[in-house]
Amino acid sequence: SYNAVALVIVAVLLLMGRPVTLGVIFAAMAVGAATAVAIGIVQVPRAERANLRPGWAAMRAVATFAAWRSLHAALRPTALLLSKALVISVISLTASGMLEAGRLVVAPLQVVINGAGSFLLAGFAAGERGKAERNNRMARYAVWLLLATVIICGSVLALLAGPAGRIMTGRPV
């Protein structure tokens, strides 16, 4: 919803012949973010929304979770940046290009895994209040499903790495 609203605002302005400046883009993004928050609040279960009051009561727990989650989200890009810097300094810039081409080949699988991880995190957090056995069954199912997805998709991507590498870099990745 965030991106859709922002893109619709910009598209409407372009169709109306109005100039789209950086400020307009930021304003469209702000409206998109506000829309996403409103949609998120509406999606909160009614039982949880009934006692929803603005305040600082659980701010420490929310801030702690947000800090750990943001560190987790920064881990992969930081590791990727460091590995690229290492490859460039030790091997060559060309090798870094090959590494990036390989990353592009597996990017769709990374999107699926990251999306599933984010979905499961919310499900496990909500499930903490539920029954432990149900959570354990869901966790086992999710792990097996993700493992099967990684094996199947990883095998397909490994088979396509040669042809995709030739298209992207002129030689197999």
Side-chain angles (χ1 to χ4, degrees), residues 83-106:
S83 69
K84 283 182 184 178
L86 182 66
V87 167
I88 290 170
S89 64
V90 173
I91 303 172
S92 72
L93 187 58
T94 303
S96 175
M98 300 270 306
L99 182 67
E100 185 64 18
R103 188 194 66 77
L104 288 174
V105 169
V106 298

Side-chain angles (χ1 to χ4, degrees), residues 11-122:
V12 166
L13 289 173
L14 286 172
L15 288 173
M16 292 172 47
R18 300 276 173 98
V20 177
T21 64
L22 189 58
V24 169
I25 292 172
F26 284 151
M29 291 169 64
V31 172
T35 303
V37 168
I39 290 171
I41 289 172
V42 171
Q43 290 179 344
V44 171
R46 180 168 276 157
E48 292 181 23
R49 217 175 349 147
N51 298 325
L52 190 60
R53 302 282 182 266
W56 298 95
M59 190 55 72
R60 183 180 185 101
V62 170
T64 302
F65 177 78
W68 280 109
R69 184 67 180 115
S70 62
L71 286 172
H72 175 258
L75 186 63
R76 190 177 348 97
T78 303
L80 184 60
L81 174 67
L82 293 175
S83 69
K84 283 182 184 178
L86 182 66
V87 167
I88 290 170
S89 64
V90 173
I91 303 172
S92 72
L93 187 58
T94 303
S96 175
M98 300 270 306
L99 182 67
E100 185 64 18
R103 188 194 66 77
L104 288 174
V105 169
V106 298
L109 184 56
Q110 287 178 324
V111 169
V112 170
I113 297 301
N114 293 336
S118 296
F119 174 76
L120 289 173
L121 176 65

